[in-house]
Amino acid sequence: MSQYMDYTISRSPIRVLTPSVDPARLRIKSATIMNAGHLPGRTMFREQATFRYWAIVLITGGSGQYRVDGGEIQTVRAGSWFFLYPGAVFDYGPNAGEQWDEYYFTASGTRIKEWRSHWLPDERRVHQWRMNEMLLQRMENMLRLIDSGTSDNLDRAALGLESFLYELISGEDRAEAGRRERLAQDIIEDIQTLLHLPPTVEEMAARHHISVSTLRRIVQEYTGYPFNEFVHRLRTAEARNILLNTDMSVKEIGERLGYKDMFYFSRVFKRITGVSPRDYRIRVGP
């Protein structure tokens, strides 16, 4: 695979591949690799750049920034990936005096339109991937296929790019699911430890640095109950335990669990258990 120097881009040898294959010889008509490359030590920053084709850019080292249509400046670092595409204006590259290591793959065809419409993530955001040797080797393999100059290998590279993208997105989905799972566990454990001084949904959202709507959605998804109902059910479970194992009055138990109104506490308890606190103690207790 050929390398050459272009000091306007990088101080290291770069690889830029533009296959010259007759499109009529390609079997995969819906996705065609237009060009690809590896730019280690890239120093060039592009401003107000526009593109004819869709591309994915993956950063394996260094840092910089990315911005679409003059919007938010997003941080790019090793493990970041982002898109370039027609119809938008991009400012992206390493910060002044810095560099990054970049792989990119540019493609065209109806299949790319399908990817963008149905399963690629937000194209205006910088995404993260967990770099590993397997994914790095897959990128190198795609570059070798493209560099071979044969139509069969260019078809294989196009199919390989689709598979590679799917792995990236699946990994991102798994990571996000893991983060949500940990956040949900933290929230639920926090609610359980604060039963005696139950916070409001606004206070709980602030404690976990998320919006109220996000907190409500997480609690609903992981418990099956709205936030307030989940809190009532936790308090009722604790009240049942106290009723059976202490001589505390219903009023004292309600106050201990944050209910200022004993009658309201009793109504909540009966709605959830089917019996009043006093009847529960009589029927279930020794």
Side-chain angles (χ1 to χ4, degrees):
M1 187 178 296
S2 60
Q3 296 182 328
Y4 67 93
M5 300 297 301
D6 185 339
Y7 290 105
T8 64
I9 298 175
S10 172
R11 298 187 182 91
S12 301
I14 64 174
R15 293 176 285 170
V16 176
L17 308 174
T18 303
S20 56
V21 174
D22 182 357
R25 298 179 60 189
L26 296 173
R27 297 179 181 178
I28 309 299
K29 306 295 185 181
S30 58
T32 302
I33 301 292
M34 305 306 294
N35 54 65
H38 178 211
L39 312 178
R42 171 178 173 155
T43 56
M44 181 181 68
F45 187 94
R46 295 197 64 177
E47 295 181 283
Q48 300 293 293
T50 59
F51 297 91
R52 181 180 177 186
Y53 300 110
W54 173 93
I56 181 172
V57 179
L58 304 106
I59 306 305
T60 58
S63 62
Q65 59 181 257
Y66 168 85
R67 182 166 65 166
V68 185
D69 289 333
E72 173 193 358
I73 296 176
Q74 301 176 59
T75 299
V76 174
R77 59 182 181 273
S80 294
W81 56 282
F82 55 85
F83 298 112
L84 306 170
Y85 48 88
V89 178
F90 298 89
D91 302 292
Y92 72 101
N95 297 318
E98 299 181 1
Q99 63 182 33
W100 73 29
D101 298 335
E102 170 187 324
Y103 284 85
Y104 70 89
F105 298 89
T106 304
S108 180
T110 57
R111 198 151 184 90
I112 285 75
K113 294 179 181 178
E114 180 184 337
W115 301 348
R116 296 177 67 186
S117 297
H118 298 293
W119 56 269
L120 288 183
D122 186 352
E123 288 187 315
R124 301 176 67 88
R125 306 300 304 174
V126 172
H127 302 273
Q128 302 300 317
W129 60 305
R130 187 183 296 276
M131 289 191 299
N132 59 62
E133 190 61 30
M134 181 189 73
L135 290 177
L136 292 172
Q137 283 302 314
R138 288 181 68 173
M139 289 194 293
E140 286 291 337
N141 287 340
M142 285 191 289
L143 290 181
R144 281 191 284 270
L145 289 170
I146 296 166
D147 192 48
S148 71
T150 68
S151 58
D152 284 348
N153 281 341
L154 198 59
D155 283 335
R156 292 187 179 95
L159 293 173
L161 179 59
E162 180 174 63
S163 174
F164 179 80
L165 282 169
Y166 192 82
E167 289 299 320
L168 275 184
I169 295 164
S170 296
E172 187 176 65
D173 289 344
R174 289 192 295 271
E176 178 61 25
R179 287 191 291 270
R180 286 181 65 84
E181 183 76 32
R182 289 191 294 274
L183 177 59
Q185 292 173 354
D186 290 344
I187 290 171
I188 291 168
E189 289 176 3
D190 206 8
I191 294 171
Q192 291 172 330
T193 59
L194 294 171
L195 280 182
H196 299 85
L197 293 170
T200 65
V201 65
E202 291 79 12
E203 291 169 340
M204 184 61 69
R207 285 169 63 90
H208 292 274
H209 310 290
I210 57 177
S211 68
V212 169
S213 60
T214 297
L215 184 135
R216 289 188 185 279
R217 184 169 62 252
I218 288 173
V219 172
Q220 177 79 45
E221 288 175 357
Y222 284 86
T223 70
Y225 298 105
F227 177 85
N228 288 338
E229 179 64 14
F230 178 61
V231 171
H232 283 317
R233 288 180 176 270
L234 286 177
R235 292 154 114 187
T236 297
E238 180 66 10
R240 291 163 68 177
N241 179 59
I242 297 172
L243 283 165
L244 297 180
N245 293 285
T246 75
D247 294 326
M248 292 176 63
S249 68
V250 172
K251 183 176 184 297
E252 290 172 331
I253 295 172
E255 290 176 345
R256 178 172 176 177
L257 293 174
Y259 291 101
K260 297 179 180 179
D261 185 334
M262 182 189 74
F263 298 104
Y264 178 65
F265 164 60
S266 296
R267 286 199 302 273
V268 170
F269 188 96
K270 185 173 183 178
R271 176 175 61 80
I272 292 173
T273 66
V275 295
S276 69
R278 289 190 176 86
D279 289 344
Y280 182 84
R281 175 173 271 164
I282 294 170
R283 293 184 187 183
V284 182

